[in-house]
Amino acid sequence: MTDVTVMGAGIFGLSVAWACARRGARVRVIDPGGPGAGASGGLVGALAPHVPENWNDKKAFQLKSLIMAEGFWQEVADAGGVQPGYARLGRIQPVMDESGLALARARQASAAALWQGKAAWRVEPAGGEWCPESPTGHVIRDTLSARLHPRHACEALVAALRARGTEVVREGPQEGRVLWATGVAGLEELSHAAGRAAGNGVKGQAALLALDAREAPQLFADGVHVVPHADGTTAIGSTSERDYDDPAATDAQLDDVIARACAAIPALAGAPVIERWAGLRPRARSRAPMLGAHPLRHGEFIANGGFKIGFGMAPKVAEVMAELMLDGVDRIPAGFRPEASL
């Protein structure tokens, strides 16, 4: 008899399944498309914090998740023998003008307090080949940001789960406690039942370059994330599109993202593009993850709406959902509950 059935093998579903399995639960994960078939099969993998100001439950939850990520992913790798490509190498951002420089310095002080000494946000002189062009001659470097390869992370979780005896299958019975982590399809189901948008799919496009900068920090410049991966590739992304004809097609918008990245970071110029990707990412109306009791399915649970922060939030989401489902302990922030988006 299965104790927990997880519907959906994206980052939220697999992470919650792992948190339950490591506590001794018998778990089955079901996804007709297979692991990482949706947004979690993307390319970028930027685990980056929100700015350290206007503190709220969402930012505090994210901080805890980013801090616990190293241990979470190391345990996953040790259990299954597959590396997720995780490394906490920080992030560099250019400072575009004098007002931005003053704001960045103020945030340096607030990060010292809000990040509890576990990471730093520093303003420093720009320099070096792996550095964005900066009009002020200064950049922001934070030591909290990390990276992983989304596909490798999903593969690592599947390997760890199977090492624990967990089924990861395309079909099967729903037994025990049931969690729905079905991304855009799940948000569409909720929206239809509520008669208004509980969330939606936002299209993103990204590219993978044949450029080995695996020991370098990620960069954020001109609205573009540049993430060096452990496998010797570098990801660039992404767009955020509400209107689109084909959710899986790449087009001139991705060309523009690549061009902006190369203009801001000369080290990227000339690197061959080896893959172009597009897909829909689930965004809850509240813009926070949707966690807790399922609004439509009595006695069942939901974890959805990861949007751009799903991989960064996953370790903490997994912890609180496993506590709720297995122990009845509810530590989910009020803004993360489904009713915040309904």
Side-chain angles (χ1 to χ4, degrees):
M1 177 67 181
T2 298
D3 300 313
V4 174
T5 299
V6 176
M7 302 300 297
I11 185 57
F12 276 4
L14 292 172
S15 296
V16 176
W18 169 248
C20 292
R22 68 183 296 275
R23 291 165 58 116
R26 293 163 294 185
V27 182
R28 176 182 296 120
V29 181
I30 302 173
D31 194 316
S40 296
L43 301 173
V44 180
L47 281 57
H50 290 90
V51 295
E53 62 185 14
N54 301 322
W55 208 239
N56 55 32
D57 286 344
K58 180 179 179 181
K59 292 184 179 182
F61 189 100
Q62 184 195 46
L63 173 65
K64 292 175 182 176
S65 193
L66 291 173
I67 293 298
M68 67 189 291
E70 184 171 9
F72 177 92
W73 289 110
Q74 186 61 58
E75 185 179 49
V76 168
D78 290 344
V82 175
Q83 293 296 327
Y86 176 88
R88 185 173 151 187
L89 299 173
R91 177 180 58 170
I92 298 173
Q93 307 174 66
V95 182
M96 303 308 292
D97 53 39
E98 291 304 316
S99 63
L101 188 57
L103 183 58
R105 286 173 172 151
R107 288 171 174 167
Q108 179 171 297
S110 63
L114 295 171
W115 290 356
Q116 305 162 19
K118 296 176 180 176
W121 169 292
R122 297 192 294 264
V123 178
E124 58 187 47
E129 181 182 1
W130 191 254
C131 186
E133 298 285 347
S134 179
T136 61
H138 288 81
V139 295
I140 300 160
R141 183 188 295 269
D142 82 74
T143 63
L144 183 54
S145 294
R147 63 103 204 273
L148 50 67
H149 194 302
R151 295 174 187 173
H152 297 173
C154 290
E155 292 166 1
L157 280 164
V158 170
L161 285 163
R162 287 179 171 155
R164 288 264 181 170
T166 294
E167 293 182 303
V168 183
V169 294
R170 292 178 181 263
E171 58 183 21
Q174 297 173 20
E175 299 175 324
R177 300 169 181 85
V178 180
L179 170 75
W180 293 83
T182 50
V184 173
L187 294 180
E188 290 175 344
E189 179 190 30
L190 290 175
S191 297
H192 179 75
R196 62 172 182 159
N200 59 288
V202 179
K203 180 178 177 179
Q205 299 186 49
L208 198 65
L209 275 59
L211 178 68
D212 191 343
R214 68 186 73 192
E215 300 301 325
Q218 63 184 273
L219 309 175
F220 184 71
D222 197 13
V224 178
H225 293 276
V226 177
V227 183
H229 284 309
D231 64 358
T233 61
T234 296
I236 294 176
S238 61
T239 63
S240 290
E241 305 168 45
R242 297 293 189 90
D243 299 315
Y244 47 84
D245 294 322
D246 184 346
T250 63
D251 54 32
Q253 294 191 65
L254 179 55
D255 295 336
D256 178 65
V257 167
I258 297 169
R260 281 159 41 209
C262 292
I265 303 122
L268 298 176
V273 175
I274 56 177
E275 183 176 350
R276 295 163 65 94
W277 177 90
L280 294 183
R281 298 160 297 177
R283 179 187 179 277
R285 188 171 68 88
S286 68
R287 303 187 70 174
M290 185 185 293
L291 309 175
H294 199 290
L296 305 180
R297 303 173 185 276
H298 180 70
E300 299 183 0
F301 303 88
I302 188 170
N304 205 329
F307 193 36
K308 295 181 179 182
I309 57 176
F311 280 87
M313 289 285 207
K316 190 64 177 175
V317 166
E319 179 182 79
V320 299
M321 289 305 301
E323 289 178 345
L324 177 64
M325 295 168 66
L326 299 180
D327 303 331
V329 175
D330 188 344
R331 294 195 296 128
I332 297 170
F336 288 24
R337 299 181 187 279
E339 51 265 33
S341 291
L342 295 173

